[in-house]
Each structure stands twice: as structure tokens, then as C-alpha cells.
Amino acid sequence: MTALPTDLENHVTTGATVWLTGLPSAGKTTIAYELAARLREEGHLVEVLDGDEIREFISAGLGFSRADRHTNVQRIGFLAELLARNGVKTLVPVIAPYADSRDGVRKRHEEGATAYLEVHVATPVDVCSERDVKGLYAKQAAGELTGLTGVDDPYEIPERPDLRIESQNQTVKESAASLYALLSERGLV
């Protein structure tokens, strides 16, 4: 048996993709980073594929049409599956508003026998608009922005997510803990 390289010997190398879907300002990214910190402390290899960073560096040039959103989600899904099958816990806080796009990502993972969990951060739109982390809801209300997911552009709610988190009813730590519990239940931590 080959020994792991020194920099990996203390790491847990069971990969998985955890896709956190939900409306803008639902808390997806905050929960992902909270969970990532806990997993790293335990020795897991972890990456967070932030939707804004992906759009800047991998999907630059794509707009927000249904076709472009689908292409973006498939690119992220490909990258997530690649990382996960190579032992990385890949946390993906990306809206992914269309069920068929999310289903395509799940199918890619199933075909590669790579663990995949879909988590719906089910924060109501009125709570998201109060949080308005990026000012999107304010811009939409002022007529400066159209195509805001869940307001004037569709968001197809997951019918059977592996976990549904109502972030408005719990702290970030509690939300991350419920996600950690799911990973534990599935034998992924």
C-alpha cells in the first residue's frame, strides 16, 4: 500500500458534493463557509465553489437567460464532481433556479458514483429581501434590475431535497450543524 504524501496524511479523503440551492440572500454561502470551517478542523479537504467567483472566473460572459443559467450550473456541477471524486468535500452555494439543471448535476454525480446531496436553503423571499446582502432586491424594487430569481424570474423549489434548512428560524451554526448531521448520517464525515 502506498503511503499518502505528508501533506495529506492527516486529511479525510472521502469526497462529496453538497449543493446549497435557494434564493439570493437565503444564507447559502454563509452556511457553506461555516460548515467548511468545521470540516477543515476535522481534517477534511474542502472547497467552497462560490457562485459569484465562478461567474467571474469560469463563466464570465454568461448572462442570466435560462440557457446561460443552465450552462453555468452544468459547469459548476462538472467542477464539483471532479473535486468530489478526488476526495474533496465540495460545498456549492449556488442558486441553480431550475430543477432540470439541478437534476443534470445529480445525474452526473450518480453516473460517476460520486456522493451528492441537495440542500434547499428555504428562506422566504421577504426575509431574503430584508437581508439583501448584495442590494439586489433594492435594485429590483427601484427598477434598476430585472430577472431577480424568486421575484421576477422563476425559482423552482426542490421537491425532494436531501435536507431543507429554514435559515430564518435558526442561527448559522445551527444550520451548518444540521447539514453536518446529514453528512454524518450518510457516512460522509
Side-chain angles (χ1 to χ4, degrees):
M1 187 165 141
T2 306
L4 287 172
T6 307
D7 60 337
L8 292 178
E9 65 188 14
N10 295 319
H11 289 331
V12 179
T13 57
T14 302
T17 294
V18 179
W19 197 292
L20 295 94
T21 179
L23 298 174
S25 296
K28 302 176 299 297
T29 302
T30 305
I31 294 166
Y33 278 109
E34 181 72 26
L35 178 61
R38 179 174 181 180
L39 292 172
R40 283 189 185 106
E41 285 175 11
E42 294 180 359
H44 296 271
L45 298 172
V46 181
E47 285 296 332
V48 176
L49 299 182
D50 181 273
D52 292 334
E53 292 174 355
I54 296 291
R55 277 204 171 266
E56 181 178 352
F57 297 107
I58 295 176
S59 294
L62 288 180
F64 292 90
S65 68
R66 184 179 179 112
D68 281 357
R69 288 177 189 249
H70 179 77
T71 297
N72 186 49
V73 168
Q74 296 315 299
R75 287 177 183 176
I76 297 168
F78 171 81
L79 183 56
E81 197 276 332
L82 179 68
L83 288 166
R85 88 171 114 101
N86 283 286
V88 178
K89 299 282 187 308
T90 309
L91 309 179
V92 186
V94 173
I95 295 169
Y98 300 108
D100 61 339
S101 296
R102 295 189 305 264
D103 291 346
V105 172
R106 180 183 294 276
K107 184 177 179 189
R108 172 182 293 285
H109 282 73
E110 288 171 353
E111 288 171 354
T114 306
Y116 178 83
L117 300 172
E118 182 179 81
V119 178
H120 180 210
V121 182
T123 310
V125 70
D126 59 320
V127 174
C128 294
S129 67
E130 286 173 23
R131 291 178 180 171
D132 204 8
V133 177
K134 298 173 191 167
L136 299 175
Y137 293 92
K139 286 181 182 176
Q140 193 276 336
E144 300 168 13
L145 174 75
T146 59
L148 181 58
T149 303
V151 177
D152 60 352
D153 208 53
Y155 177 75
E156 298 172 356
I157 296 171
E159 291 181 16
R160 291 180 299 281
D162 296 284
L163 177 66
R164 195 173 311 274
I165 294 174
E166 294 181 359
S167 71
Q168 74 279 9
N169 296 329
Q170 56 192 22
T171 67
V172 172
K173 284 192 182 300
E174 290 169 336
S175 294
S178 65
L179 185 42
Y180 183 91
L182 175 64
L183 288 168
S184 181
E185 175 186 302
R186 301 287 173 92
L188 298 170
V189 291

